[in-house]
Amino acid sequence: MDLLWNDRRTRQFVTNVGLITSDGLLGPNIMAAEWTHHISYSPSLIAVNIRGHDATAENISESREFGVNIAAESQNVICSIAGRYKGIYVDKISVLKESGIAAFYNAKRISKEVPMLVGAAMNAECKLVKHEELGDHIMFVGEVIEISADENIRPLLYHNGRYWILGEAIIKPQPDILNRIEELAKKQSRTR
């Protein structure tokens, strides 16, 4: 089955906004990638899914490294700019710097030319370990070689074509409920 971009049936996902930074033939670039996921703890791996004709895909393919900056609640304008323009036509890093909307620092463990976003909820520097074409995107998997996060900064959420902030936390089930479920799970256990 093929679904068109922006099909309402696919809008039930809730994601973060990964701001993927890279450097290559077109120079430093930033793009907004809704499909950014931590997929392994050991080794620590992050997957980003990017269209193959984007500047970021070309940069990562060439340099074999990239930055992952999880957008903070306050960075919705940065996300809109990074997602609205294509890096093959617009120097988005310069637009963000010159407008005073965003500040960057040089990566520490990957190429110093890769910009990392100041004020993000999380910054990770990644070395490419695998890439694979999946449908209309390329999944780039990078091993995290440097990471920092500020637990006081909450990540920006994306759902149904809009940005959201985290709301009230929902309490986990009470211990008596979990104990009862544990008893039922033991009763229904499959032996192998």
Side-chain angles (χ1 to χ4, degrees), residues 50-55 57-58 61 136-138 140:
I50 300 169
R51 290 187 187 274
H53 58 272
D54 285 346
E58 291 179 24
S61 294
D136 57 6
H137 283 65
I138 300 172
F140 292 96

Side-chain angles (χ1 to χ4, degrees), residues 16 32 156:
N16 60 46
L156 183 67

Side-chain angles (χ1 to χ4, degrees), residues 11-192:
R11 289 186 157 204
Q12 289 305 92
F13 291 99
V14 177
T15 62
N16 60 46
V17 181
L19 292 166
I20 311 307
T21 50
S22 61
D23 185 45
L25 289 175
L26 294 170
N29 190 49
I30 185 170
M31 71 164 288
E34 177 185 359
W35 299 335
T36 303
H37 309 283
H38 190 230
I39 60 171
S40 172
Y41 289 111
S42 183
S44 184
L45 301 173
I46 295 176
V48 297
N49 295 285
I50 300 169
R51 290 187 187 274
H53 58 272
D54 285 346
T56 299
E58 291 179 24
N59 283 354
I60 295 172
S61 294
E62 175 194 328
S63 70
R64 306 194 55 79
E65 59 189 14
F66 56 97
V68 175
N69 307 267
I70 300 298
E73 288 178 344
S74 62
Q75 295 178 322
N76 60 321
V77 174
I78 297 169
C79 295
S80 293
I81 292 168
R84 179 181 200 126
Y85 301 101
K86 294 193 172 292
I88 57 174
Y89 303 119
V90 176
D91 180 348
K92 295 181 278 184
I93 297 291
S94 291
V95 169
L96 290 166
K97 284 180 181 178
E98 289 179 33
S99 66
I101 294 172
F104 297 89
Y105 66 92
N106 293 335
K108 297 172 185 157
R109 304 261 326 266
I110 57 178
S111 169
K112 304 282 187 238
E113 303 305 314
V114 175
M116 301 299 290
L117 182 62
V118 172
M122 184 209 74
N123 302 92
E125 297 176 28
C126 300
K127 287 281 192 183
L128 183 66
V129 295
K130 180 178 183 167
H131 67 281
E132 184 173 340
E133 287 189 36
L134 297 170
D136 57 6
H137 283 65
I138 300 172
M139 179 181 63
F140 292 96
V141 178
E143 182 172 358
V144 176
I145 60 170
E146 180 74 23
I147 190 167
S148 63
D150 185 336
E151 293 180 16
N152 296 313
I153 298 176
R154 296 190 318 179
L156 183 67
L157 303 180
Y158 189 76
H159 167 68
N160 199 15
R162 297 173 55 194
Y163 299 122
W164 299 83
I165 60 173
L166 287 170
E168 185 178 334
I170 297 173
I171 298 172
K172 290 185 176 184
Q174 297 296 318
D176 59 325
I177 294 171
L178 293 176
N179 290 337
R180 175 70 179 133
I181 297 299
E182 183 66 26
E183 290 172 16
L184 292 171
K186 286 178 183 174
K187 179 181 172 185
Q188 300 300 327
S189 177
R190 295 184 176 116
T191 55
R192 288 186 175 217

